[in-house]
Amino acid sequence: MSSRDYRIDRAKGILIFLVVLGHLLARTSPWESPILGAPMYFIYMFHMPAFVFLAGITAKSNKLAERVLTYFVLLATVLPLMWGWMWLFGLNPDYDFLRPFWYTWFLLSMAWWMITVPFIERFPRTMLVASLVVGLFGGLLPVLDTELSAARTMAFWPFFVIGKLYGKQIIDWAGSLAIWQKLCLSAAALAAVGYFFLDQVDYNWLYGSLNFAHFDVSVPEGVGLRLIVDIGAVLLTLALLSWLSNTKDTIATIGKNSLAVYILHGFVVRALQPVLDDSRNVLHDAVVLLICVALAVVWTGLLAWSPFERALRWWSSTVTGLLLKPFPFLRPEASDRRSGRGRGERGRRGDAVSPGDTYHPGDTYSEGDGPDRQGLGLQPMPGVGYQHSPGYEQHPGQQQSFASPAPVAGEPYPLPGSHEVPQNNATYETTQEVPAGAAQRAVRYRRLPVYLSGDEHR
């Protein structure tokens, strides 16, 4: 079992802080102010693409129905609560069942992205090309905009696919850069932000929620601007990842519990909205920025309290389990439990790959966890399983045992990993024809269990 990569948690911790800060600043009408507009361009240029990239790293296709339904359960839970919360504070909740309200778009988009995971695993190159084409040219579709989070789903889909296919390698590469390379990468990322800020590019491009028709641009101009925005997001994401260390600290803890922060911070921001709306009328913009930073630090830390995360995951997993109970064929882990398989996955129902997901690739071996599991492509050939191996015996009344038999006198027993196995050992060469007399010669050497080989758990 591989150790946890805290770089992912730390990246999530930093990004969820930027999410809270960005939403607090957004209540102050910041785009008109140079002091508030600069951090807004910085935050919105990459914080959600980076989150989508990290979500792709942790995305898996097992228990797919359960994972997808979890996002719909969270969406159906948050929306009515948010509408009631805003009504309580005298705010307009803006009902529209086809348009996810405010930050809940991410939950719906995650459900759509998760549905594509099996296809990404099966056709990686095709899906990578398809995601790039959809991400750049999706704005051409005039009928898809904020409805069902379609525009954002298409615009940010390439980051999800790249994270799924190459995320771990990209994190390792970014972390291995020399200091001067990290500085150059960071300078290029800040230059991209500076270009958008100084040229006053329409900040709505950063949201990814609108089609080209909204901006009244030609197709080449729209595709070009979408490409420039994506390049800026890539540079900023790589710059962030390059400076992260694999250390468990407070930031990593916040990242581990970032799902609760993401879900709950919206209620805090909306409760503060009446105050933040008028803050620039009585305070200098620099003071407003400092207040928002302080509020973001405090509330990010408070909402990252682990009981919030556990309660949220318990709720989503419980409701999801009840909804899927009449459909056992959509819950393969139930059959795994009946057959004694999937113990490593037990209790992980409802794991979401949203900002707070803690389910990293390599945490458990859910498939292919043994010598005869098809998941690793290790199905034994007929007649060459353990029960047919030389030296294997089963006595009446005893359970099957793979205990090592006593070595043949005069012949040393080859140690696991040893290469002192003769070429004519037919027990090892299961894909070749057995030469005459080889079975008698092979009886001197016991067939090593597959799980003793060091290559299968890399």
Side-chain angles (χ1 to χ4, degrees):
M1 183 180 296
S2 62
S3 59
R4 185 183 188 87
D5 193 342
Y6 291 106
R7 294 174 297 181
I8 297 178
D9 287 333
R10 300 189 78 217
K12 287 182 177 181
I14 295 172
L15 291 172
I16 198 62
F17 165 76
L18 294 179
V19 169
V20 178
L21 176 59
H23 286 163
L24 287 169
L25 288 173
R27 301 303 104 202
T28 66
S29 303
W31 300 104
E32 311 162 356
S33 166
I35 295 177
L36 300 178
M40 286 294 286
Y41 271 100
F42 172 78
I43 293 171
Y44 277 83
M45 195 164 183
F46 86 106
H47 73 315
M48 290 316 298
F51 249 137
V52 176
F53 169 80
L54 295 176
I57 295 178
T58 56
K60 288 191 175 184
S61 59
N62 63 315
K63 297 193 285 188
L64 184 63
E66 199 164 355
R67 293 175 185 273
V68 172
L69 187 57
T70 296
Y71 293 110
F72 286 110
V73 169
L74 291 173
L75 181 65
T77 302
V78 173
L79 282 178
L81 291 176
M82 178 59 68
W83 290 334
W85 184 258
M86 293 187 66
W87 175 81
L88 186 64
F89 284 88
L91 303 173
N92 180 17
D94 192 18
Y95 294 93
D96 195 329
F97 289 101
L98 290 180
R99 292 178 172 88
F101 177 71
W102 190 24
Y103 68 121
T104 59
W105 71 265
F106 183 79
L107 300 174
L108 184 56
S109 291
M110 274 301 307
W112 303 144
W113 291 323
M114 285 300 300
I115 293 174
T116 68
V117 170
F119 301 97
I120 298 172
E121 294 176 348
R122 181 64 180 86
F123 310 103
R125 294 181 181 178
T126 301
M127 297 303 290
L128 176 61
V129 174
S131 69
L132 293 174
V133 172
V134 169
L136 292 176
F137 293 90
L140 284 171
L141 301 175
V143 296
L144 294 179
D145 212 332
T146 55
E147 293 85 354
L148 299 177
S149 190
R152 278 170 166 156
T153 301
M154 293 187 295
F156 297 138
W157 189 31
F159 294 91
F160 183 84
V161 176
I162 293 173
K164 171 63 180 175
L165 296 177
Y166 310 109
K168 189 62 169 61
Q169 297 94 312
I170 291 175
I171 291 179
D172 291 339
W173 173 82
S176 66
L177 296 177
I179 295 296
W180 69 270
Q181 293 173 315
K182 296 179 181 180
L183 291 173
C184 291
L185 183 61
S186 301
L190 293 177
V193 178
Y195 164 75
F196 273 80
F197 173 66
L198 296 176
D199 201 44
Q200 288 297 295
V201 176
D202 190 342
Y203 59 85
N204 285 294
W205 282 102
L206 307 180
Y207 294 133
S209 58
L210 302 172
N211 55 36
F212 295 166
H214 172 85
F215 298 101
D216 193 21
V217 295
S218 63
V219 173
E221 186 179 1
V223 173
L225 278 170
R226 186 73 256 165
L227 179 60
I228 294 174
V229 171
D230 289 346
I231 292 174
V234 169
L235 290 174
L236 285 165
T237 302
L238 292 176
L240 171 64
L241 296 175
S242 67
W243 293 105
L244 295 176
S245 60
N246 194 7
T247 307
K248 183 180 181 180
D249 55 8
T250 303
I251 297 177
T253 302
I254 292 174
K256 180 181 177 182
N257 299 326
S258 57
L259 176 62
V261 181
Y262 188 84
I263 296 295
L264 299 177
H265 87 280
F267 297 91
V268 175
V269 172
R270 290 298 179 175
L272 295 172
Q273 181 173 338
V275 177
L276 294 174
D277 281 344
D278 299 326
S279 59
R280 292 183 59 205
N281 295 331
V282 296
L283 298 172
H284 191 273
D285 288 351
V287 177
V288 173
L289 176 60
L290 292 176
I291 291 175
C292 288
V293 170
L295 289 172
V297 170
V298 171
W299 281 106
T300 301
L302 291 176
L303 297 178
W305 190 36
S306 57
F308 290 141
E309 181 81 10
R310 289 197 299 268
L312 196 61
R313 290 185 178 275
W314 172 84
W315 166 256
S316 60
S317 63
T318 301
V319 175
T320 300
L322 292 174
L323 293 175
L324 288 178
K325 194 172 182 179
F327 310 99
F329 59 91
L330 294 177
R331 304 177 62 197
E333 74 279 2
S335 60
D336 286 345
R337 283 197 296 268
R338 287 194 296 270
S339 60
R341 294 162 55 184
R343 291 183 182 132
E345 290 291 306
R346 189 172 297 175
R348 305 193 64 123
R349 240 183 2 229
D351 287 347
V353 200
S354 55
D357 184 34
T358 61
Y359 187 55
H360 298 293
D363 280 354
T364 57
Y365 293 102
S366 59
E367 292 295 338
D369 196 11
D372 292 338
R373 296 290 291 274
Q374 188 176 1
L376 289 177
L378 298 175
Q379 278 188 311
M381 298 291 287
V384 296
Y386 288 127
Q387 66 272 25
H388 301 287
S389 301
Y392 170 77
E393 296 180 359
Q394 180 181 2
H395 300 286
Q398 295 183 357
Q399 294 182 346
Q400 294 184 356
S401 172
F402 300 121
S404 303
V408 179
E411 294 288 345
Y413 183 82
L415 296 175
S418 170
H419 298 286
E420 299 177 4
V421 181
Q423 297 296 324
N424 60 0
N425 186 350
T427 308
Y428 287 85
E429 304 294 334
T430 58
T431 61
Q432 300 178 2
E433 294 184 1
V434 180
Q440 294 180 357
R441 293 194 299 271
V443 76
R444 302 178 184 178
Y445 300 92
R446 172 179 174 268
R447 182 178 192 267
L448 294 179
V450 176
Y451 53 75
L452 288 180
S453 171
D455 294 335
E456 303 303 332
H457 295 294
R458 288 178 181 173

